[in-house]
Amino acid sequence: MLSRAASSLYWLGRYVERADFVARLVEATVRLDALSARPAGEAAWDSALAVTYASDAFKATGMPINQANVARFLTIDRDQKASIVRCLESARNNARAVRTALTREAWTAINRAWLVFHNRAGPGGTMATLGLVEAIKAETRGFEGAVFRMMRNEATWFIRLGAAVERADNTARLVDVKYHLLLPEGEPVGGVVDRDQWTTILQTVSAVTAYRWLYSEGLKPGLVIDLLLARPELPRSLAACVEETVEMLGLLGKRTGLQGEADRMARARSARLQRTRSHEVIVSGLHQYLQAFIRENALLDAAIKRQFRFL
Amino acid sequence: MGTLGAFDELWGHGEPGNPRDALAALATWVADTPADELHRRRQSAETAFRQLGITFAVYGDAEAAERIIPFDIVPRIFLADEWARLSQGLIQRVEAINAFLDDIYGDRRIVEEGVLPPDLIFGNPQFRPEVAGIKPSHDIWAHICGIDLVRTGPDDFFVLEDNARTPSGVSYMLENREAMIRLCPELFRAFRVAAVDSYPDRLLETMRSVVPHRCGSDPVCVVLTPGHFNSAYYEHSFLADSMGVELVEPADLVVDDDVVWMQTIAGRVKVDVIYRRIDDDFLDPLVFRPDSLLGVPGLIAAYRAGNVTVMNAPGNGIADDKAIYSYMPEIVRFYSGGEAKLPNVETWRCREPQALKYVLEHLDEVVVKLVDGSGGYGMLVGPTASKAEIETFRAALIAHPERYIAQPTLALSTVPTMVEAGLAPRHVDFRPFLLTGSNGVQVVPGGLTRVALREGSLVVNSSQGGGTKDSFVLLPDDAARQVQMLGAMVQQQELPS
């Protein structure tokens, strides 16, 4: 496979995953905003910006933080790197560059997702925003489904590798930001607002029901963190993403004979995560832990580029 | 429906409702299918094209950076005997083009024997002295040709243009057929239509047949594209995909010691045959344009060394140059020893004083074209041009007569086409595709029919808002009978339940 193609496939995986994540984040924030009678609504949108590393860019627009502005910013604003439409545009450009490596179905799915957003003037009100988000989730699911029906070869694995690396990053950022920024001052831990916020986190990663299945206790921050860090059953947990990274690198190595630094890093991280006890992480500093994880993820990304000679 | 006064592919020169022989079924279909049904099917095809991204980019048009080419549902049909005659003429022409290229970059007999004026070749910007003396493998230069034809009567086909560089449109030929099979299956029961979908296989076969002599038995073939912002990128990816070969960009290739390699995740892989969809100018900055950031440095050296086949061969532009075009009858005669079976459209070479005089006196009647223009740009259509446009061209012609040719405005044939008001005749042209490999020249039984969507317009270029139609080539009766027999032999088997 061409090095350039491998790189495009990997980034296609990353950008589709990112678009899906931002869509979920907007959806969950709309919910949190609706539930909050207090200024927590504004804080919710503030933290959504923080999760997507877009706080400064938003501040630069000079607009006040509210649902209409932030939702527009994160969905259809073509000038913003973090917006869904820009993620989809990047995904589509990468997909176009490697059309020959994709099936017709996979390409059509990504092209359709882009068409949903392309030239969209405004997200409209809450209903329209939710409709848009729902449409994008459906299209990215369609893309994932198409990827699973592609030949089991390097093309598929590079897309899934990109998705897994991106997903690990997204979950880590989500937990980090929500855990530290969300709770307004004076609001008791375990209170209504706190509870809503943890539900929001679970919603963002589609894990509300999963939580009920895995934990007999009611909603507890410690257990939500345990779920998102250490439970391999949950597809968006750090443990699951890390495991998938190892698996994809293994498949690629077997087919191409290319194994090296990226595999070693991924395996070492996986082994460490298996030993991780989430309550210990919370005690010793969740923020530091997640920051280290995000840094490590970036290092792994760089190692993947070197290992597969991305152009 | 014959209001434009031209020959109609369905109705001939006769009244609408009275179709040409053998096309009665199409006339019935056109009459019996309600207009809104035809509209619906056409829209459905266009929606599918958009979702599949069958688009082309319009340069300098940021608003509509990607457009689909309008698709028309009423097919244009070639009868089997028409096609047989056409094919002979096309094959003769492509063989002559190939012999011509081999000659002028080699012995130059045609110039030495005084058939062509030397300055027409050696002073031509499309002549590439850089490739003179190179012998491409199997002496084949023009591997893929698209010959643009127009028709003015039952037996009157004329060549409008030879495309021997990087002709495009073959993906539309294939996608239009897919759409028609899905949307109008009844037409394929009424007619025995030659299949076009073997094109990618034939192209790959052609590529494999022209591998460099010193290369192994399993050559690595690739399609070379400028990248996904190119207007024909869809076609490039489509072809690579349907042949199962890599689609490479210049940056994917490196030349080392006169060998071309592509850079893969597992290191370098040697490349043997390149179907390039990049113009000469941007192929190799060491040889052609040094300012080009595109291109593969050293590619021409590797080609010259016989380590890689480049198709179409660099330097081909001279063969489809519009100034050379007017000499094609002489060129065909010189190399084949016979008269051209497919005539040219009458052409005035403005470089010749007599011709220039005539053209200047008849600017409101003729079509004037830039010798090196394409895509409908740099063109004057006399009968529909404004006074100011005509005067601009007059000045340009007087200043640089050698840059122009002129042709009469022909009454291009029409085909019934869906427009807002219903079915109406619209002018068409036709681009069939020919492949030349070490085993000879073959014509794909089909091609791209382009249609001028505006009433009375003769400009069919997609960059000028033209549309496309499927082109049916009917099988001869014998072949049709065989197809029927084959159908009868296939046993129906019930599904397990």
Side-chain angles (χ1 to χ4, degrees):
Chain A
M1 165 170 288
L2 293 172
S3 301
R4 178 182 50 83
S7 167
S8 288
L9 289 161
Y10 173 82
W11 279 102
L12 167 60
R14 287 201 71 154
Y15 278 118
V16 172
E17 182 65 29
R18 195 176 296 176
D20 181 69
F21 175 76
V22 177
R24 289 166 182 282
L25 183 67
V26 169
E27 184 182 39
T29 311
V30 167
R31 181 179 183 276
L32 183 58
D33 189 2
L35 287 174
S36 313
R38 282 158 289 234
E42 189 180 298
W45 289 107
D46 200 4
S47 80
L49 288 169
V51 172
T52 50
Y53 281 6
S55 301
D56 290 345
F58 187 83
K59 203 179 282 170
T61 66
M63 288 186 296
I65 292 183
N66 57 38
Q67 176 176 317
N69 291 339
V70 181
R72 181 177 193 292
F73 184 90
L74 289 178
T75 53
I76 60 161
D77 194 331
R78 303 181 70 89
D79 297 330
Q80 300 311 325
K81 246 173 71 182
S83 74
I84 296 174
V85 65
R86 277 286 292 275
C87 292
L88 288 174
E89 202 163 86
S90 300
R92 182 174 181 264
N93 280 340
N94 279 293
R96 272 181 75 124
V98 290
R99 264 193 81 146
T100 54
L102 299 175
T103 56
R104 223 167 218 248
E105 285 174 3
W107 157 255
T108 311
I110 195 68
N111 193 39
R112 242 191 351 239
W114 179 79
L115 286 169
V116 167
F117 273 80
H118 181 58
N119 284 338
R120 188 113 178 186
T126 306
M127 292 291 288
T129 300
L130 289 177
L132 202 58
V133 160
E134 198 50 56
I136 205 59
K137 279 165 55 192
E139 297 293 354
T140 52
R141 275 201 304 277
F143 175 74
E144 271 178 61
V147 168
F148 270 80
R149 282 162 183 75
M150 291 193 359
M151 271 199 285
R152 300 189 177 199
N153 61 13
E154 296 95 312
T156 304
W157 300 328
F158 273 118
I159 296 173
R160 289 180 55 192
L161 178 63
V165 170
E166 178 70 24
R167 199 176 295 158
D169 176 76
N170 292 165
T171 300
R173 281 192 286 158
L174 176 74
V175 175
D176 191 29
V177 172
K178 291 287 183 187
Y179 184 73
H180 290 277
L181 292 186
L182 259 179
L183 208 55
E185 248 175 87
E187 196 57 48
V189 173
V192 178
V193 173
D194 194 24
R195 201 191 138 76
D196 287 344
Q197 286 165 350
W198 287 108
T199 311
T200 306
I201 294 179
L202 287 177
Q203 272 198 330
T204 309
V205 297
S206 295
V208 180
T209 318
Y211 183 92
R212 307 285 171 213
W213 279 103
L214 291 172
Y215 305 97
S216 48
E217 298 168 64
L219 201 63
K220 289 199 170 144
L223 292 180
V224 173
I225 289 165
D226 184 58
L227 176 66
L228 294 179
L229 256 55
R231 295 300 293 249
E233 301 97 315
L234 185 78
R236 283 185 171 76
S237 73
L238 298 189
C241 297
V242 162
E243 210 175 273
E244 180 149 7
T245 312
V246 172
E247 194 192 337
M248 291 304 125
L249 284 168
L251 288 167
L252 282 164
K254 232 193 257 169
R255 173 68 68 96
T256 62
L258 293 170
Q259 273 168 318
E261 196 192 355
D263 295 77
R264 284 192 293 279
M265 284 177 71
R267 278 197 303 267
R269 190 170 67 162
S270 172
R272 213 173 327 111
L273 249 167
Q274 275 167 28
R275 293 191 303 269
T276 297
R277 299 288 164 265
S278 48
H279 60 272
E280 290 168 11
V281 170
I282 295 169
V283 171
S284 63
L286 181 62
H287 177 63
Q288 286 72 16
Y289 180 89
L290 291 168
Q291 285 297 313
F293 183 92
I294 291 168
R295 266 198 307 278
E296 192 181 46
N297 211 50
L299 290 174
L300 176 62
D301 173 82
I304 289 170
K305 277 176 196 157
R306 282 194 297 275
Q307 186 162 316
F308 296 103
R309 304 176 168 93
F310 285 2
L311 284 182
Chain B
M1 243 181 276
T3 52
L4 296 174
F7 175 80
D8 191 273
E9 300 281 342
L10 175 54
W11 311 119
H13 280 301
E15 284 301 302
N18 184 18
R20 298 169 61 210
D21 292 347
L23 295 184
L26 184 63
T28 311
W29 179 79
V30 162
D32 291 356
T33 315
D36 56 350
E37 174 64 14
L38 291 178
H39 269 302
R40 192 192 61 74
R41 292 187 195 182
R42 189 200 63 194
Q43 267 160 8
S44 157
E46 291 188 352
T47 305
F49 288 165
R50 179 157 303 282
Q51 287 197 352
L52 282 167
I54 306 179
T55 54
F56 74 104
V58 182
Y59 297 122
D61 187 350
E63 279 305 300
E66 287 175 24
R67 287 203 204 143
I68 56 167
I69 297 186
F71 170 73
D72 187 70
I73 201 100
V74 184
R76 180 254 188 91
I77 301 184
F78 289 96
L79 307 182
D81 59 325
E82 282 173 355
W83 187 255
R85 277 199 308 279
L86 262 184
S87 299
Q88 286 176 7
L90 288 165
I91 289 170
Q92 182 199 39
R93 190 151 180 127
V94 166
E95 282 173 347
I97 287 174
N98 200 56
F100 169 70
L101 286 162
D102 202 49
D103 185 26
I104 57 160
Y105 288 116
D107 300 340
R108 302 171 176 176
R109 283 195 301 125
I110 197 164
V111 183
E112 270 161 31
E113 295 184 22
V115 179
L116 292 189
D119 73 296
L120 191 71
I121 305 285
F122 307 119
N124 194 309
Q126 292 304 327
F127 179 74
R128 302 287 185 183
E130 299 90 340
V131 300
I134 295 184
K135 276 285 181 193
S137 67
H138 305 272
D139 297 337
I140 299 169
W141 295 74
H143 307 85
I144 300 115
C145 286
I147 309 289
D148 288 349
L149 301 172
V150 295
R151 184 181 202 178
T152 58
D155 294 311
D156 305 312
F157 285 95
F158 298 93
V159 176
L160 195 60
E161 202 173 295
D162 302 288
N163 296 287
R165 288 176 246 191
T166 55
S168 52
V170 77
S171 57
Y172 291 96
M173 169 179 87
L174 297 167
E175 294 291 359
N176 287 354
R177 177 61 52 84
E178 288 304 312
M180 288 300 284
I181 290 173
R182 209 159 31 79
L183 294 168
C184 306
E186 65 274 21
L187 283 174
F188 294 87
R189 285 194 293 275
F191 293 103
R192 297 287 161 186
V193 182
V196 290
D197 60 2
S198 64
Y199 181 84
D201 288 341
R202 294 183 189 206
L203 178 60
L204 184 58
E205 220 173 79
T206 304
M207 291 182 79
R208 295 175 64 101
S209 83
V210 293
V211 292
H213 296 291
R214 66 183 64 169
C215 147
S217 59
D218 193 16
V220 172
C221 304
V222 301
V223 175
L224 176 62
T225 175
H228 66 274
F229 295 108
N230 183 269
S231 65
Y233 179 76
Y234 172 75
E235 177 153 307
H236 307 162
S237 67
F238 176 94
L239 287 173
D241 204 17
S242 44
M243 289 192 286
V245 306
E246 293 288 358
L247 177 65
V248 302
E249 294 180 12
D252 297 321
L253 300 180
V254 281
V255 180
D256 203 350
D257 218 4
D258 289 349
V259 172
V260 182
W261 305 88
M262 62 178 170
Q263 311 190 70
T264 77
I265 54 173
R268 292 171 164 192
V269 172
K270 182 173 177 285
V271 174
D272 304 303
V273 183
I274 300 175
Y275 176 19
R276 52 92 174 219
R277 295 294 297 259
I278 294 184
D279 292 339
D280 287 353
D281 270 348
F282 307 104
L283 213 45
D284 180 347
L286 297 183
V287 175
F288 299 117
R289 277 180 48 174
D291 58 324
S292 166
L293 294 177
L294 275 170
V296 185
L299 179 61
I300 296 300
Y303 169 59
R304 183 185 291 277
N307 289 330
V308 69
T309 298
V310 178
M311 54 195 276
N312 284 328
N316 272 16
I318 186 74
D320 63 24
D321 180 75
K322 288 192 179 73
I324 297 290
Y325 160 90
S326 65
Y327 288 93
M328 275 310 283
E330 286 94 327
I331 290 171
V332 170
R333 199 178 307 126
F334 185 77
Y335 295 107
S336 76
E339 288 305 308
K341 295 171 187 169
L342 267 176
N344 269 11
V345 177
E346 186 187 357
T347 303
W348 293 282
R349 304 160 186 147
C350 301
R351 65 207 311 276
E352 296 169 3
Q354 277 304 99
L356 178 64
K357 183 166 176 286
Y358 177 88
V359 171
L360 289 174
E361 282 164 9
H362 296 84
L363 274 178
D364 56 343
E365 293 168 25
V366 298
V367 179
V368 184
K369 292 176 180 173
L370 259 182
V371 167
D372 52 2
S374 69
Y377 295 101
M379 204 173 141
L380 174 82
V381 182
T384 57
S386 69
K387 278 230 154 52
E389 283 167 330
I390 285 182
E391 289 318 310
T392 309
F393 264 79
R394 185 184 307 281
L397 270 167
I398 291 168
H400 293 287
E402 73 287 353
R403 295 184 61 198
Y404 296 90
I405 57 160
Q407 294 171 331
T409 42
L410 297 182
L412 305 193
S413 65
T414 57
V415 179
T417 297
M418 279 308 294
V419 295
E420 279 308 310
L423 281 175
R426 287 292 181 268
H427 295 296
V428 295
D429 79 351
F430 181 60
R431 175 178 291 180
F433 296 92
L434 289 99
L435 293 171
T436 307
S438 60
N439 31 21
V441 185
Q442 49 180 330
V443 197
V444 181
L448 182 67
T449 291
R450 298 184 297 180
V451 49
L453 292 173
R454 268 184 303 127
E455 185 172 7
S457 170
L458 296 169
V459 182
V460 296
N461 273 299
S462 41
S463 42
Q464 306 274 314
T468 67
K469 284 171 173 289
D470 194 6
S471 319
F472 288 6
V473 171
L474 300 188
L475 292 170
D477 286 345
D478 278 355
R481 259 200 300 281
Q482 280 171 20
V483 171
Q484 272 165 345
M485 280 166 56
L486 192 69
M489 278 156 54
V490 177
Q491 295 291 318
Q492 295 279 323
Q493 293 210 5
E494 275 184 38
L495 285 172
S497 56

